[in-house]
Amino acid sequence: MISESVVAAYLAASLALGAVFKSKADTIEGFLVANREIGDWLLAFTFGATYFSSVVIVVGGAWAYMWGQPSLLIPLFNVVLGALATFMLLGRRINTLSLEHNALTVPELFGRIYSSRGLQRLLGLMAAVGLTLYAATVISGAAAMVGTVFHVNLAAAAFVIAAIMAVYVALGGMYSVAWTDTLQGVIVAAGVAVLLAFSLGHAGGLAALENAKPALPPSKINLRLIFDLALLTSIAVWGLPQLVNRFYTARGPRVVRRATGIATLFAFIVTYGSFLSGLAAAVILQSHPPSDPLKAIPALASIVMGPVGAAMFSAAVLAAAMSTADSIALTVGSAVIYDVLGVRDTRALRAASFLSMIVAAGIAVATLSLPKELASAVTTIFKTGWTLTAGAFLVPVVATVMGARSRAAVVASSLVGALVALAYGASRAAHIAAPLADLSFAVTIAASLAAYIAASIAAPCGRALSRRGA
C-alpha cells in the first residue's frame, strides 16, 4: 500500500502542475516555449529528464546486462557528446537564432531562416513520424517496469501512463512539461543512484563489476552495434526537436551557459547509474536469469531493494518515461497542427498532443504483445524512431547553427537521412539482411551529410548554368 500511495501521489502531483499552469499556456508562445521564461536549473533538468527516459534505465540496463563492459562506451558518449557538447556547441546559438527569428518550433526556425513554408511542413511531418515511434518505446519501457513490479497487465499500464501524460501536457503545455520534468528529473536521479548503491552493496562493490559475465556469449556481443548505439544516443541529440526546442525556452544565452554543468552532472548520474546497475544485474542474477533481458533491471530492483523499494524505483522509471514522452507529445502535437497544418490555436494543439500519446500507447501495446524477443523489438523501434528523426534533422541543424545557408542542401540532407533510416527500419522489421545493418545510424548520418555537401555544391552550379543559358 505504501508503494502504491507513493506512485499515486506522484501522478497526482504531475496532474496538479498541469492544472496550475493552464492559464499561462493559453497563448501559443506560452504553450510551446513557456514564454521563454525558463531559468538555468529548470533548463538543465528539463533537458536531462527529456534526454534520459525509461529507455536508458530499463533498456540501457538490459544492454549492459547482455553485453557487459563494452556497453560502457554508451554512457561515456552520452555524457560528453550528448550533454556537455550539446550545451557548449549548440545551445546558446540555438537560443539566439530562435529569438532572432521569433520561431516557436524547430521546423518553424528552418521555415523562417530559409523563407520556405514547404520546408517547415516537411520537417514537421518527419518529426511527427519519428518521435511517435520513439514515444512508443518509452511507454514500453515504463510499462515493462511498472507491470513487472506491480503485477499488472502491460497493455493496461501502457495506456494509463500515456493517458496521464497526455492530460497534463494538454493542460499546461511547455510550462507543465518543464516543471513536471524537473520534479521527474529529481526522482529519476535519486532512484537510479539508490538502485546503484543497493546493487553494489549486494554484488560486493564496484570492483565486483569488473568480473561481471555478460548474459550473452562473447560470440553474440556485437561491438559495431554498441558503437552505433553510442553514437545514436549521443550525437543524435543534436538533431532531436524535443531537445533542440528546450533551448528556445531559456531566458537568454547566459542561462544556457549556467545550465551546462548541471545538465552534464545529471547525465553522468543517470546514464552511468543505469549501465552500472545493468552490470550488477549480470553478477546478481547469474544463477536465476530473467526470461527476457528487458526484465533484468526490474528483477534486480526487486531483489536488492525488496518489494517496497522496487515499487518506489518503478516510480523513478515512470518519471523517466513521463519526462520524455510528455515532451514528445508536445513536439508531435505542434509538428502536426502548427508546422504541417499551420493552425495557431491552443485548443487544437492540446487535442493533438493528447492524441499523439494515445497513438504511441497503441504502438507500445502492439510491441509488448510480441511473444518473445521483447528487448530486441523495443531496441529496433527505438533505434528506428531516433535514427529517422536525427537523420532528418541532425545535419541541417548543425550546419544551420554554424552559419551555412542552403535550402536545397537542407531538403536533400533531410530527405536522404529519413529515407535511409526508414529503409533500415523496414529491413529489420522484415528480418532482411541490410548492408552495414549494425551501423545503421552512422550510415544514415553519413548519407545525410553526403547529400548536404552534394546539394550545397550542385545548387550554385545550377544557378550559374541557368544564368549563363539566359
Side-chain angles (χ1 to χ4, degrees):
M1 286 297 293
I2 295 175
S3 55
E4 286 84 346
S5 299
V6 170
V7 173
Y10 158 67
L11 294 176
S14 298
L15 291 172
L17 284 171
V20 165
F21 290 108
K22 183 180 182 299
S23 61
K24 282 196 167 190
D26 283 340
T27 65
I28 293 294
E29 190 167 7
F31 191 85
L32 292 180
V33 295
N35 290 316
R36 306 185 194 276
E37 295 178 343
I38 300 301
D40 45 10
W41 281 89
L42 275 180
L43 175 62
F45 271 90
T46 190
F47 178 90
T50 299
Y51 181 4
F52 297 110
S53 69
S54 58
V55 173
V56 75
I57 298 175
V58 178
V59 182
W63 292 341
Y65 171 76
M66 289 188 296
W67 302 328
Q69 299 286 342
S71 69
L72 293 181
L73 180 68
I74 297 174
L76 174 63
F77 275 38
N78 290 173
V79 173
V80 176
L81 298 177
L84 182 61
T86 301
F87 272 76
M88 292 184 65
L89 300 179
L90 302 177
R92 280 176 284 178
R93 290 176 175 144
I94 290 169
N95 177 262
T96 300
L97 281 174
S98 72
L99 288 167
E100 285 178 359
H101 295 276
N102 193 29
L104 303 181
T105 68
V106 177
E108 184 179 41
L109 180 61
F110 280 92
R112 295 199 170 183
I113 288 176
Y114 297 103
S115 303
S116 174
R117 183 77 182 87
L119 179 58
Q120 183 178 350
R121 288 194 181 100
L122 173 67
L123 293 177
L125 180 62
M126 292 180 178
V129 174
L131 291 179
T132 299
L133 290 175
Y134 174 40
T137 67
V138 172
I139 295 170
S140 297
M145 181 76 201
V146 173
T148 300
V149 171
F150 289 105
H151 306 290
V152 297
N153 179 269
L154 296 186
F159 275 111
V160 169
I161 292 166
I164 291 173
M165 284 186 288
V167 168
Y168 74 73
V169 171
L171 286 172
M174 183 60 80
Y175 276 107
S176 63
V177 166
W179 280 94
T180 54
D181 279 1
T182 300
L183 169 64
Q184 291 155 355
V186 171
I187 294 172
V188 170
V192 169
V194 170
L195 175 66
L196 178 59
F198 274 88
S199 299
L200 291 178
H202 202 281
L206 194 61
L209 303 189
E210 297 178 5
N211 300 318
K213 293 182 179 179
L216 293 181
S219 61
K220 290 191 176 182
I221 298 175
N222 191 327
L223 296 180
R224 293 198 304 181
L225 176 59
I226 292 172
F227 175 74
D228 200 54
L229 285 169
L231 286 179
L232 172 65
T233 56
S234 55
I235 67 169
V237 171
W238 302 351
L240 295 178
Q242 78 275 20
L243 287 165
V244 173
N245 187 248
R246 281 297 173 276
F247 298 112
Y248 288 36
T249 67
R251 287 195 294 264
R254 287 186 178 181
V255 169
V256 178
R257 179 174 56 80
R258 291 197 301 266
T260 302
I262 307 167
T264 304
L265 177 61
F266 180 92
F268 179 84
I269 293 171
V270 174
T271 187
Y272 269 102
S274 300
F275 276 76
L276 290 176
S277 294
L279 291 182
V283 174
I284 295 167
L285 304 178
Q286 195 168 13
S287 59
H288 43 279
S291 58
D292 189 283
L294 198 64
K295 296 180 179 179
I297 294 298
L300 174 72
S302 295
I303 290 173
V304 303
M305 300 176 74
V308 173
M312 290 183 176
F313 178 71
S314 74
V317 176
L318 181 58
M322 293 174 70
S323 62
T324 297
D326 58 13
S327 300
I328 294 173
L330 187 63
T331 304
V332 171
S334 65
V336 173
I337 298 298
Y338 187 84
D339 293 315
V340 176
L341 300 180
V343 176
R344 293 172 174 258
D345 181 82
T346 53
R347 288 174 297 181
L349 284 169
R350 286 187 166 107
S353 298
F354 185 92
L355 290 174
S356 69
M357 280 297 94
I358 303 305
V359 171
I363 298 173
V365 168
T367 304
L368 291 166
S369 65
L370 294 174
K372 58 180 180 178
E373 299 293 339
L374 182 57
S376 176
V378 172
T379 299
T380 295
I381 297 173
F382 158 70
K383 197 173 184 184
T384 301
W386 262 49
T387 303
L388 192 160
T389 310
F393 283 91
L394 192 155
V395 173
V397 165
V398 173
T400 300
V401 166
M402 295 303 174
R405 294 291 184 270
S406 172
R407 184 171 65 186
V410 167
V411 173
S413 174
S414 184
L415 284 173
V416 168
L419 289 173
V420 171
L422 281 173
Y424 270 117
S427 68
R428 283 193 294 266
H431 302 289
I432 298 173
L436 298 174
D438 298 330
L439 296 171
S440 58
F441 175 74
V443 172
T444 297
I445 299 305
S448 177
L449 179 59
Y452 188 95
I453 294 172
S456 297
I457 295 170
C461 294
R463 287 194 295 271
L465 288 172
S466 63
R467 285 197 298 269
R468 194 173 299 172

